[in-house]
Amino acid sequence: MKLSLRTAARIAWRETRSSMTKFLFVVLAVAAGVGALAGVRGFSESFRSTLTREARTVMAADLAARQFYVPNESQLARLRALEQENIEYTWITETVSMASAGSTPALSAVKVVDPAKYPFYGEIKLQPEMPLSQALTADSVAVGQDLLIRLNTHVGDKLRVGEREFKVAAAIVSEPDRMSASLNFGMRLMMTRTAFDATGLEGLGSRGSQRYLFKLDPGAPDVERVRREIRRALPNAVIADFRASHPIITDGLDQATTFLSLISLIALIVGAIGVAMAMHAHLQQKMDHIAVMKSLGATSGEIIRIYTLQTLMLGLMGGLAGVLVGRAVEQVFPLLITRYLSLGAVATGWHAEAAGQGILIGVLTTLLFTVPPLLAIRKVRPALILRRAMPEARQAWPARIAEMRGALAAGGIILIGIGAIAAWLSGSARVGRYFAGGLTGSLIALAIVAWALLRVLRAFLRGSPWRVPSLVRQGMANLYRQGNQAQAILVALGLGVMFTLTVYLVQDSLVGQIIETAPPGAPNVFLVGVTQAEVDPLKDLIAHSDGVAGRVELVPRVAARMTGINGYPPPPRFRYSGSVMWEDEKPDYVRLIEGSWWGRDALQPHAAPVVSVQLEMAHRLQIHVGDWIEMQSAGRDFQARVVAIHEWEQKRFMPTSSFVFNHPALADFPVSFDGGVRFAPQKVAQFQRLAFDKFPTVTVVNIADALEIVQQVIDQIALVIRFLSGFAIAAGAIILAASVAGTRFRRVREVVILKTIGATRRQVVRIFSVEFLTLGVVAGLMGAILATIFSDLLLKRLLNAKFEFDWRAAALAVVFTALLANVSGWIASVRILGQKPLEVLREE
C-alpha cells in the first residue's frame, strides 16, 4: 500500500508535536527573518497608501513641476494663462546660502515661497504658532530649530542672509512638502520672494531649483489636460500629480524596499540554515525509525514525503509567527526615519500581500535549505542501521564521487532557488544573480574560516605548551561533540556579525576617508555662486588671507539645456538640462578618449563654437566626434561642433560638467563661477567670516559642513540597515539555542557522567559557559575578520577610499557575540542542570 498524503501529514505532525521544544527555537529563527521581510514590505505598502491618500499634502498641491533654471518670458506667459482656466499656481525657489548671526556663518537650505498661497494643501507648523503670512515678510524669516542651535540664536534675533538682515519671526516645526523639496537635508530657512530679491542671491547665472505648485479650483480642466498644458509651458520639467504622488519619492521607496528586503532575506536564510541543522540532527536521531519503516516496505520517497511535510509545517509556523514580528517591525520603522517624515503618523495595518509574501518566502527558503538532509534519507540502509555493531566498510572512490555529485546538485538547487527569490523580491534577474552569487561566496568564505578556526582551536588543545585548565579544556572539547554542528552555528552567527559590522565600518570610515584620500592640496573650502564681477576681488581677498595653502580655482558655469543633436531633438528621457562650462587649455585632470582639444584659434572672440563631451554622456546620447549639438541658455539657441570625447580623472575635486565648450561659445551668456581653495583648517572659520562680510551672496562651504549633511544621510541609512541586519544576528543566536536543544539528550548524559564522577553544579556551569563563550568568540572573530576584509574591498574598489582597521569596533563585536551566545546557550540548556544522575542511569 502506498502512503497517502493525509497519513504522511499525520505522522509528520505527530513527530513535530512530540519534538516541539526542540523545534521551537527553529520556528523563532524563521520568524525573525520572515518578520524583518514582512515588516519592510508591510511598511512600504503603508507608506505608499499614505502617500496616495495624502498625495496632495505631500506635494502641497494637485500638481508640481520642477526644473533647475528660471523660465523665459514666453514660458511664464503660458503659466499665467492657466489662471484663466481656474488653475492657481505659486513659484518656489530652493537654493543654498550662508546665514550668520554675528558668528561663523552656516550653510542653510533656503526656500522662497509666497505665504499668501503656499501651501495649497497641508499646513506649516511654526513655533510660536502664527500664520505663515505673519512670520514671512519683507523683513522677517522663519528658520529650522537646527539652524538656531548652530548659530546660537533665538526667535526674535537678527539673522543676515546675503546682503540683508532679517528678524527671525518663528522656528519651523514641520512643512507638508518637505519630502518633495530638492533639499531634504540641511538646516532650513524660509523667506518671501521680496526678501529673497533683497539678499542679492538671485543674480545673473545663479542657480537653484525652481518648483511650481498648481491647484485645480472648481471648474478647472481635468488633471491630464492640465499636465499637458504644463508640459507645453515647461518642456524639460519633472512633473508630478496627486494621482501618482511624487515620482522621486516613490522611486526611492521602491529602491529602498528592494534593498531592505534583500537584507531581510539574509536574516531569513540564517533561519533556514537553522532549520536544515535541526532537521539533520532530527533525522540522525530518527535513523532507527527510518530503518524500521523501510524494513516494513516504506520507500525512500514516502519517507521523504513525511519529513518534507514536517519541514513545511515548521516553515509555516515560523512564517505565521514572523507575520506577528513583522507587525512590530512595521511599527518601529517610522521611528527610525521620523526625521524625514512630514506626513504625521503613517497609517500602518495588516497587509495581506506583504504577510503572504513573507510566509511563502519563509516556507520556500526553509524547504530549499532542507533539501540536503532530506535527500540523505535515500542513503539510509536498514541493514547498516540495525547492525551498528559490525565494522563499517569504507566507501570506494566512485561511491564518494557519486555522493559529492549529489551534494553539488543540492547546492545548485539552493543557489538557483535563492537567486529566484531575490529576483522576485527585486524585480530583476540580474539582482537575483548577484545576490545569490554574493551570498554563496560569503557562506563559502565563512565555512572555510570557521573550519580553519576550529582546526586551530583543536590543535591548540592538543599541543599547547601551556597548561590549559581542565574545565576550559572540557568546554572547548565540547565543540567536537557528536551532533554539535559547531561549524554550521559559526556560519549562521558569523554571517549576521559580518554583515552588521561591515555596515558600521563602511559608515564610520566613509566620510573621513573622503577627506583623507583627497589629492595633496585638494580644496577644503568650496565657493559657490561667484558672479563675473566678483571673481577678481575674491581672488585678491583670498591671496591676502591667512592660511591659504594653494591657489584658488574658479570654474565658469552656464545654465543650459539640450534641444537637438544633428538637427534632431533628443529622446525625451535623454534630454540634458543642467550647467555647462568652458575651458581654454586642456586641464591636467582631463583625459582625451577621442578627438583633440582646441588650439588658440578657437579662443579668438569670433571663433566657431566647439565642445568636448564627457564619455558617459556621449554614450548615453550616442554623440560622436564631428556631430553638432544644439543648446539653449537664457532663451537663446546656439550650436557647437563636437571635437573631442573626454573623461574626468577620479581625483578631480572641482566642479565638472558633461559638456566643456571653448570660451567664445558661452561668452555672451549669464555665468556664475564655482570653485575651491585650500586653507589651513584652523583658518577656515576666519576666512568664512571675512568672505561673508565682503561677498555676502557668495556661499563659502567648509568641507566639514558638506560632510555633516552627508553624514546625516549615511547615519540614517545605516541605522535602518543595522536594525534589520540585527535580525540575522538574532537568528544566529536562536540557531545556537536550537542546536543546544537538539543535543539535549547528549548533554544530559554528559551532565550525569560529570556529576557521577564528582563534578559540582558550578563546575558543570563553567564547562558549558566555556563552550558557549568559545562559540561566540570564534563567531565574533570570524565575522570581524571577514567584515574587515569586505569593508576594505568595498571602500577601495567601489568608493576609492582608504580603509583603516577599527580594532575597537571589532573587539566590541567579539565581546557582544560571546555574551549573546552564552545567554542563548543557557536559555536552551538551563533545565539540564537539574537532572538527577540516578534517574538517567536507571534508563540505561
Side-chain angles (χ1 to χ4, degrees), residues 615-644:
L615 180 63
E616 183 180 349
M617 183 62 69
H619 287 164
R620 178 180 162 191
L621 297 176
Q622 296 296 303
I623 294 175
H624 305 90
V625 172
D627 288 347
W628 287 84
I629 62 171
E630 294 88 38
M631 287 200 163
Q632 185 182 88
S633 178
R636 291 186 290 142
D637 296 320
F638 66 99
Q639 62 178 0
R641 184 169 58 87
V642 179
V643 296

PDB file of all heavy atoms in Angstrom, residues 615-644:
ATOM      1  N   LEU A 615      32.583  61.146 -21.618  1.00  0.00           N
ATOM      2  CA  LEU A 615      32.419  59.832 -22.246  1.00  0.00           C
ATOM      3  C   LEU A 615      31.055  59.210 -21.943  1.00  0.00           C
ATOM      4  O   LEU A 615      30.368  58.743 -22.855  1.00  0.00           O
ATOM      5  CB  LEU A 615      33.553  58.908 -21.775  1.00  0.00           C
ATOM      6  CG  LEU A 615      33.533  57.485 -22.339  1.00  0.00           C
ATOM      7  CD1 LEU A 615      33.702  57.497 -23.849  1.00  0.00           C
ATOM      8  CD2 LEU A 615      34.626  56.633 -21.683  1.00  0.00           C
ATOM      9  N   GLU A 616      30.647  59.194 -20.686  1.00  0.00           N
ATOM     10  CA  GLU A 616      29.380  58.557 -20.329  1.00  0.00           C
ATOM     11  C   GLU A 616      28.200  59.249 -20.996  1.00  0.00           C
ATOM     12  O   GLU A 616      27.277  58.604 -21.492  1.00  0.00           O
ATOM     13  CB  GLU A 616      29.211  58.565 -18.805  1.00  0.00           C
ATOM     14  CG  GLU A 616      27.961  57.867 -18.322  1.00  0.00           C
ATOM     15  CD  GLU A 616      27.831  57.897 -16.814  1.00  0.00           C
ATOM     16  OE1 GLU A 616      28.814  58.271 -16.143  1.00  0.00           O
ATOM     17  OE2 GLU A 616      26.746  57.559 -16.311  1.00  0.00           O
ATOM     18  N   MET A 617      28.212  60.590 -21.030  1.00  0.00           N
ATOM     19  CA  MET A 617      27.139  61.327 -21.678  1.00  0.00           C
ATOM     20  C   MET A 617      27.146  61.082 -23.187  1.00  0.00           C
ATOM     21  O   MET A 617      26.073  60.977 -23.810  1.00  0.00           O
ATOM     22  CB  MET A 617      27.278  62.822 -21.382  1.00  0.00           C
ATOM     23  CG  MET A 617      26.156  63.683 -21.963  1.00  0.00           C
ATOM     24  SD  MET A 617      24.517  63.281 -21.295  1.00  0.00           S
ATOM     25  CE  MET A 617      24.699  63.871 -19.605  1.00  0.00           C
ATOM     26  N   ALA A 618      28.330  60.965 -23.785  1.00  0.00           N
ATOM     27  CA  ALA A 618      28.420  60.691 -25.218  1.00  0.00           C
ATOM     28  C   ALA A 618      27.803  59.332 -25.542  1.00  0.00           C
ATOM     29  O   ALA A 618      27.076  59.179 -26.537  1.00  0.00           O
ATOM     30  CB  ALA A 618      29.876  60.747 -25.662  1.00  0.00           C
ATOM     31  N   HIS A 619      28.060  58.331 -24.707  1.00  0.00           N
ATOM     32  CA  HIS A 619      27.458  57.016 -24.916  1.00  0.00           C
ATOM     33  C   HIS A 619      25.952  57.067 -24.734  1.00  0.00           C
ATOM     34  O   HIS A 619      25.195  56.444 -25.493  1.00  0.00           O
ATOM     35  CB  HIS A 619      28.064  56.012 -23.937  1.00  0.00           C
ATOM     36  CG  HIS A 619      29.468  55.620 -24.285  1.00  0.00           C
ATOM     37  ND1 HIS A 619      30.325  55.001 -23.408  1.00  0.00           N
ATOM     38  CD2 HIS A 619      30.184  55.772 -25.425  1.00  0.00           C
ATOM     39  CE1 HIS A 619      31.489  54.775 -23.987  1.00  0.00           C
ATOM     40  NE2 HIS A 619      31.425  55.242 -25.217  1.00  0.00           N
ATOM     41  N   ARG A 620      25.514  57.798 -23.731  1.00  0.00           N
ATOM     42  CA  ARG A 620      24.090  57.875 -23.430  1.00  0.00           C
ATOM     43  C   ARG A 620      23.309  58.532 -24.558  1.00  0.00           C
ATOM     44  O   ARG A 620      22.204  58.100 -24.913  1.00  0.00           O
ATOM     45  CB  ARG A 620      23.917  58.653 -22.131  1.00  0.00           C
ATOM     46  CG  ARG A 620      22.502  58.869 -21.681  1.00  0.00           C
ATOM     47  CD  ARG A 620      22.499  59.644 -20.375  1.00  0.00           C
ATOM     48  NE  ARG A 620      21.214  60.247 -20.110  1.00  0.00           N
ATOM     49  CZ  ARG A 620      20.974  61.145 -19.173  1.00  0.00           C
ATOM     50  NH1 ARG A 620      21.957  61.557 -18.419  1.00  0.00           N
ATOM     51  NH2 ARG A 620      19.776  61.652 -18.998  1.00  0.00           N
ATOM     52  N   LEU A 621      23.874  59.597 -25.145  1.00  0.00           N
ATOM     53  CA  LEU A 621      23.175  60.343 -26.193  1.00  0.00           C
ATOM     54  C   LEU A 621      23.622  59.949 -27.600  1.00  0.00           C
ATOM     55  O   LEU A 621      23.161  60.545 -28.574  1.00  0.00           O
ATOM     56  CB  LEU A 621      23.418  61.845 -25.993  1.00  0.00           C
ATOM     57  CG  LEU A 621      22.879  62.451 -24.700  1.00  0.00           C
ATOM     58  CD1 LEU A 621      23.268  63.916 -24.601  1.00  0.00           C
ATOM     59  CD2 LEU A 621      21.374  62.300 -24.611  1.00  0.00           C
ATOM     60  N   GLN A 622      24.526  58.948 -27.691  1.00  0.00           N
ATOM     61  CA  GLN A 622      25.036  58.495 -28.995  1.00  0.00           C
ATOM     62  C   GLN A 622      25.673  59.646 -29.771  1.00  0.00           C
ATOM     63  O   GLN A 622      25.385  59.878 -30.949  1.00  0.00           O
ATOM     64  CB  GLN A 622      23.913  57.854 -29.811  1.00  0.00           C
ATOM     65  CG  GLN A 622      23.345  56.579 -29.201  1.00  0.00           C
ATOM     66  CD  GLN A 622      24.369  55.460 -29.137  1.00  0.00           C
ATOM     67  OE1 GLN A 622      24.931  55.065 -30.157  1.00  0.00           O
ATOM     68  NE2 GLN A 622      24.640  54.968 -27.947  1.00  0.00           N
ATOM     69  N   ILE A 623      26.535  60.407 -29.086  1.00  0.00           N
ATOM     70  CA  ILE A 623      27.227  61.548 -29.695  1.00  0.00           C
ATOM     71  C   ILE A 623      28.635  61.110 -30.094  1.00  0.00           C
ATOM     72  O   ILE A 623      29.318  60.423 -29.330  1.00  0.00           O
ATOM     73  CB  ILE A 623      27.295  62.744 -28.715  1.00  0.00           C
ATOM     74  CG1 ILE A 623      25.884  63.271 -28.444  1.00  0.00           C
ATOM     75  CG2 ILE A 623      28.178  63.849 -29.260  1.00  0.00           C
ATOM     76  CD1 ILE A 623      25.839  64.367 -27.392  1.00  0.00           C
ATOM     77  N   HIS A 624      29.073  61.525 -31.281  1.00  0.00           N
ATOM     78  CA  HIS A 624      30.400  61.172 -31.772  1.00  0.00           C
ATOM     79  C   HIS A 624      31.131  62.443 -32.210  1.00  0.00           C
ATOM     80  O   HIS A 624      30.507  63.492 -32.426  1.00  0.00           O
ATOM     81  CB  HIS A 624      30.315  60.190 -32.949  1.00  0.00           C
ATOM     82  CG  HIS A 624      29.523  58.955 -32.639  1.00  0.00           C
ATOM     83  ND1 HIS A 624      28.153  58.886 -32.864  1.00  0.00           N
ATOM     84  CD2 HIS A 624      29.885  57.760 -32.124  1.00  0.00           C
ATOM     85  CE1 HIS A 624      27.720  57.692 -32.512  1.00  0.00           C
ATOM     86  NE2 HIS A 624      28.758  56.992 -32.052  1.00  0.00           N
ATOM     87  N   VAL A 625      32.431  62.328 -32.320  1.00  0.00           N
ATOM     88  CA  VAL A 625      33.228  63.447 -32.823  1.00  0.00           C
ATOM     89  C   VAL A 625      32.745  63.806 -34.226  1.00  0.00           C
ATOM     90  O   VAL A 625      32.543  62.928 -35.074  1.00  0.00           O
ATOM     91  CB  VAL A 625      34.727  63.080 -32.836  1.00  0.00           C
ATOM     92  CG1 VAL A 625      35.542  64.156 -33.548  1.00  0.00           C
ATOM     93  CG2 VAL A 625      35.236  62.895 -31.408  1.00  0.00           C
ATOM     94  N   GLY A 626      32.543  65.086 -34.458  1.00  0.00           N
ATOM     95  CA  GLY A 626      32.029  65.562 -35.744  1.00  0.00           C
ATOM     96  C   GLY A 626      30.553  65.881 -35.732  1.00  0.00           C
ATOM     97  O   GLY A 626      30.060  66.558 -36.646  1.00  0.00           O
ATOM     98  N   ASP A 627      29.828  65.427 -34.700  1.00  0.00           N
ATOM     99  CA  ASP A 627      28.403  65.734 -34.596  1.00  0.00           C
ATOM    100  C   ASP A 627      28.215  67.196 -34.185  1.00  0.00           C
ATOM    101  O   ASP A 627      29.125  67.864 -33.705  1.00  0.00           O
ATOM    102  CB  ASP A 627      27.726  64.830 -33.556  1.00  0.00           C
ATOM    103  CG  ASP A 627      27.599  63.399 -34.044  1.00  0.00           C
ATOM    104  OD1 ASP A 627      27.803  63.161 -35.250  1.00  0.00           O
ATOM    105  OD2 ASP A 627      27.322  62.504 -33.215  1.00  0.00           O
ATOM    106  N   TRP A 628      26.971  67.656 -34.360  1.00  0.00           N
ATOM    107  CA  TRP A 628      26.592  69.004 -33.936  1.00  0.00           C
ATOM    108  C   TRP A 628      25.545  68.880 -32.851  1.00  0.00           C
ATOM    109  O   TRP A 628      24.599  68.082 -32.955  1.00  0.00           O
ATOM    110  CB  TRP A 628      26.031  69.812 -35.109  1.00  0.00           C
ATOM    111  CG  TRP A 628      27.085  70.250 -36.085  1.00  0.00           C
ATOM    112  CD1 TRP A 628      27.604  69.540 -37.116  1.00  0.00           C
ATOM    113  CD2 TRP A 628      27.756  71.514 -36.083  1.00  0.00           C
ATOM    114  NE1 TRP A 628      28.570  70.259 -37.772  1.00  0.00           N
ATOM    115  CE2 TRP A 628      28.680  71.491 -37.169  1.00  0.00           C
ATOM    116  CE3 TRP A 628      27.680  72.665 -35.308  1.00  0.00           C
ATOM    117  CZ2 TRP A 628      29.512  72.563 -37.477  1.00  0.00           C
ATOM    118  CZ3 TRP A 628      28.496  73.740 -35.602  1.00  0.00           C
ATOM    119  CH2 TRP A 628      29.416  73.686 -36.675  1.00  0.00           C
ATOM    120  N   ILE A 629      25.699  69.658 -31.780  1.00  0.00           N
ATOM    121  CA  ILE A 629      24.692  69.679 -30.723  1.00  0.00           C
ATOM    122  C   ILE A 629      24.111  71.076 -30.626  1.00  0.00           C
ATOM    123  O   ILE A 629      24.810  72.074 -30.854  1.00  0.00           O
ATOM    124  CB  ILE A 629      25.267  69.257 -29.355  1.00  0.00           C
ATOM    125  CG1 ILE A 629      26.355  70.222 -28.884  1.00  0.00           C
ATOM    126  CG2 ILE A 629      25.810  67.843 -29.401  1.00  0.00           C
ATOM    127  CD1 ILE A 629      26.797  69.961 -27.460  1.00  0.00           C
ATOM    128  N   GLU A 630      22.805  71.140 -30.362  1.00  0.00           N
ATOM    129  CA  GLU A 630      22.122  72.421 -30.199  1.00  0.00           C
ATOM    130  C   GLU A 630      21.693  72.567 -28.750  1.00  0.00           C
ATOM    131  O   GLU A 630      21.169  71.623 -28.145  1.00  0.00           O
ATOM    132  CB  GLU A 630      20.895  72.506 -31.104  1.00  0.00           C
ATOM    133  CG  GLU A 630      21.205  72.514 -32.587  1.00  0.00           C
ATOM    134  CD  GLU A 630      21.303  71.118 -33.185  1.00  0.00           C
ATOM    135  OE1 GLU A 630      20.508  70.253 -32.783  1.00  0.00           O
ATOM    136  OE2 GLU A 630      22.202  70.888 -34.018  1.00  0.00           O
ATOM    137  N   MET A 631      21.911  73.758 -28.198  1.00  0.00           N
ATOM    138  CA  MET A 631      21.550  74.036 -26.813  1.00  0.00           C
ATOM    139  C   MET A 631      20.862  75.376 -26.703  1.00  0.00           C
ATOM    140  O   MET A 631      20.938  76.203 -27.618  1.00  0.00           O
ATOM    141  CB  MET A 631      22.783  73.998 -25.907  1.00  0.00           C
ATOM    142  CG  MET A 631      23.313  72.598 -25.646  1.00  0.00           C
ATOM    143  SD  MET A 631      24.354  72.561 -24.179  1.00  0.00           S
ATOM    144  CE  MET A 631      24.394  70.796 -23.850  1.00  0.00           C
ATOM    145  N   GLN A 632      20.209  75.571 -25.559  1.00  0.00           N
ATOM    146  CA  GLN A 632      19.522  76.837 -25.296  1.00  0.00           C
ATOM    147  C   GLN A 632      19.891  77.305 -23.899  1.00  0.00           C
ATOM    148  O   GLN A 632      19.903  76.531 -22.946  1.00  0.00           O
ATOM    149  CB  GLN A 632      18.005  76.662 -25.401  1.00  0.00           C
ATOM    150  CG  GLN A 632      17.226  77.962 -25.252  1.00  0.00           C
ATOM    151  CD  GLN A 632      15.728  77.739 -25.321  1.00  0.00           C
ATOM    152  OE1 GLN A 632      15.093  77.484 -24.311  1.00  0.00           O
ATOM    153  NE2 GLN A 632      15.169  77.814 -26.531  1.00  0.00           N
ATOM    154  N   SER A 633      20.206  78.604 -23.787  1.00  0.00           N
ATOM    155  CA  SER A 633      20.513  79.208 -22.493  1.00  0.00           C
ATOM    156  C   SER A 633      19.947  80.614 -22.480  1.00  0.00           C
ATOM    157  O   SER A 633      20.097  81.359 -23.466  1.00  0.00           O
ATOM    158  CB  SER A 633      22.028  79.249 -22.256  1.00  0.00           C
ATOM    159  OG  SER A 633      22.329  79.881 -21.031  1.00  0.00           O
ATOM    160  N   ALA A 634      19.303  80.977 -21.389  1.00  0.00           N
ATOM    161  CA  ALA A 634      18.716  82.318 -21.231  1.00  0.00           C
ATOM    162  C   ALA A 634      17.799  82.663 -22.395  1.00  0.00           C
ATOM    163  O   ALA A 634      17.752  83.805 -22.852  1.00  0.00           O
ATOM    164  CB  ALA A 634      19.821  83.358 -21.092  1.00  0.00           C
ATOM    165  N   GLY A 635      17.084  81.671 -22.928  1.00  0.00           N
ATOM    166  CA  GLY A 635      16.146  81.902 -24.008  1.00  0.00           C
ATOM    167  C   GLY A 635      16.763  81.997 -25.383  1.00  0.00           C
ATOM    168  O   GLY A 635      16.057  82.228 -26.364  1.00  0.00           O
ATOM    169  N   ARG A 636      18.090  81.819 -25.516  1.00  0.00           N
ATOM    170  CA  ARG A 636      18.757  81.916 -26.816  1.00  0.00           C
ATOM    171  C   ARG A 636      19.350  80.565 -27.198  1.00  0.00           C
ATOM    172  O   ARG A 636      19.889  79.843 -26.354  1.00  0.00           O
ATOM    173  CB  ARG A 636      19.867  82.971 -26.777  1.00  0.00           C
ATOM    174  CG  ARG A 636      19.317  84.393 -26.662  1.00  0.00           C
ATOM    175  CD  ARG A 636      20.439  85.417 -26.782  1.00  0.00           C
ATOM    176  NE  ARG A 636      21.309  85.392 -25.613  1.00  0.00           N
ATOM    177  CZ  ARG A 636      22.621  85.546 -25.668  1.00  0.00           C
ATOM    178  NH1 ARG A 636      23.225  85.691 -26.832  1.00  0.00           N
ATOM    179  NH2 ARG A 636      23.346  85.560 -24.565  1.00  0.00           N
ATOM    180  N   ASP A 637      19.256  80.250 -28.490  1.00  0.00           N
ATOM    181  CA  ASP A 637      19.780  78.989 -29.001  1.00  0.00           C
ATOM    182  C   ASP A 637      21.199  79.174 -29.525  1.00  0.00           C
ATOM    183  O   ASP A 637      21.557  80.235 -30.044  1.00  0.00           O
ATOM    184  CB  ASP A 637      18.896  78.461 -30.138  1.00  0.00           C
ATOM    185  CG  ASP A 637      17.499  78.115 -29.649  1.00  0.00           C
ATOM    186  OD1 ASP A 637      17.397  77.558 -28.540  1.00  0.00           O
ATOM    187  OD2 ASP A 637      16.521  78.410 -30.367  1.00  0.00           O
ATOM    188  N   PHE A 638      22.010  78.117 -29.394  1.00  0.00           N
ATOM    189  CA  PHE A 638      23.331  78.116 -30.015  1.00  0.00           C
ATOM    190  C   PHE A 638      23.702  76.665 -30.300  1.00  0.00           C
ATOM    191  O   PHE A 638      23.126  75.730 -29.744  1.00  0.00           O
ATOM    192  CB  PHE A 638      24.370  78.785 -29.112  1.00  0.00           C
ATOM    193  CG  PHE A 638      24.658  78.045 -27.823  1.00  0.00           C
ATOM    194  CD1 PHE A 638      25.774  77.228 -27.702  1.00  0.00           C
ATOM    195  CD2 PHE A 638      23.810  78.176 -26.721  1.00  0.00           C
ATOM    196  CE1 PHE A 638      26.042  76.556 -26.522  1.00  0.00           C
ATOM    197  CE2 PHE A 638      24.079  77.511 -25.536  1.00  0.00           C
ATOM    198  CZ  PHE A 638      25.198  76.699 -25.435  1.00  0.00           C
ATOM    199  N   GLN A 639      24.659  76.485 -31.200  1.00  0.00           N
ATOM    200  CA  GLN A 639      25.099  75.140 -31.540  1.00  0.00           C
ATOM    201  C   GLN A 639      26.620  75.088 -31.573  1.00  0.00           C
ATOM    202  O   GLN A 639      27.294  76.112 -31.714  1.00  0.00           O
ATOM    203  CB  GLN A 639      24.523  74.684 -32.876  1.00  0.00           C
ATOM    204  CG  GLN A 639      24.942  75.517 -34.071  1.00  0.00           C
ATOM    205  CD  GLN A 639      24.373  74.966 -35.373  1.00  0.00           C
ATOM    206  OE1 GLN A 639      23.676  73.964 -35.379  1.00  0.00           O
ATOM    207  NE2 GLN A 639      24.693  75.615 -36.476  1.00  0.00           N
ATOM    208  N   ALA A 640      27.164  73.883 -31.419  1.00  0.00           N
ATOM    209  CA  ALA A 640      28.613  73.701 -31.405  1.00  0.00           C
ATOM    210  C   ALA A 640      28.946  72.340 -32.001  1.00  0.00           C
ATOM    211  O   ALA A 640      28.162  71.391 -31.911  1.00  0.00           O
ATOM    212  CB  ALA A 640      29.145  73.804 -29.979  1.00  0.00           C
ATOM    213  N   ARG A 641      30.134  72.262 -32.578  1.00  0.00           N
ATOM    214  CA  ARG A 641      30.603  71.006 -33.177  1.00  0.00           C
ATOM    215  C   ARG A 641      31.411  70.225 -32.139  1.00  0.00           C
ATOM    216  O   ARG A 641      32.238  70.783 -31.413  1.00  0.00           O
ATOM    217  CB  ARG A 641      31.462  71.292 -34.403  1.00  0.00           C
ATOM    218  CG  ARG A 641      31.930  70.040 -35.160  1.00  0.00           C
ATOM    219  CD  ARG A 641      32.549  70.431 -36.502  1.00  0.00           C
ATOM    220  NE  ARG A 641      33.681  71.344 -36.327  1.00  0.00           N
ATOM    221  CZ  ARG A 641      34.945  70.931 -36.115  1.00  0.00           C
ATOM    222  NH1 ARG A 641      35.212  69.645 -36.055  1.00  0.00           N
ATOM    223  NH2 ARG A 641      35.912  71.823 -35.995  1.00  0.00           N
ATOM    224  N   VAL A 642      31.155  68.927 -32.075  1.00  0.00           N
ATOM    225  CA  VAL A 642      31.861  68.060 -31.134  1.00  0.00           C
ATOM    226  C   VAL A 642      33.249  67.746 -31.710  1.00  0.00           C
ATOM    227  O   VAL A 642      33.360  67.174 -32.802  1.00  0.00           O
ATOM    228  CB  VAL A 642      31.091  66.755 -30.876  1.00  0.00           C
ATOM    229  CG1 VAL A 642      31.860  65.850 -29.918  1.00  0.00           C
ATOM    230  CG2 VAL A 642      29.700  67.054 -30.323  1.00  0.00           C
ATOM    231  N   VAL A 643      34.286  68.141 -30.978  1.00  0.00           N
ATOM    232  CA  VAL A 643      35.654  67.895 -31.454  1.00  0.00           C
ATOM    233  C   VAL A 643      36.396  66.887 -30.591  1.00  0.00           C
ATOM    234  O   VAL A 643      37.490  66.441 -30.967  1.00  0.00           O
ATOM    235  CB  VAL A 643      36.460  69.208 -31.508  1.00  0.00           C
ATOM    236  CG1 VAL A 643      35.851  70.168 -32.523  1.00  0.00           C
ATOM    237  CG2 VAL A 643      36.567  69.858 -30.133  1.00  0.00           C
ATOM    238  N   ALA A 644      35.832  66.517 -29.429  1.00  0.00           N
ATOM    239  CA  ALA A 644      36.546  65.591 -28.553  1.00  0.00           C
ATOM    240  C   ALA A 644      35.567  64.884 -27.617  1.00  0.00           C
ATOM    241  O   ALA A 644      34.470  65.382 -27.346  1.00  0.00           O
ATOM    242  CB  ALA A 644      37.612  66.326 -27.735  1.00  0.00           C
TER     243      ALA A 644
END
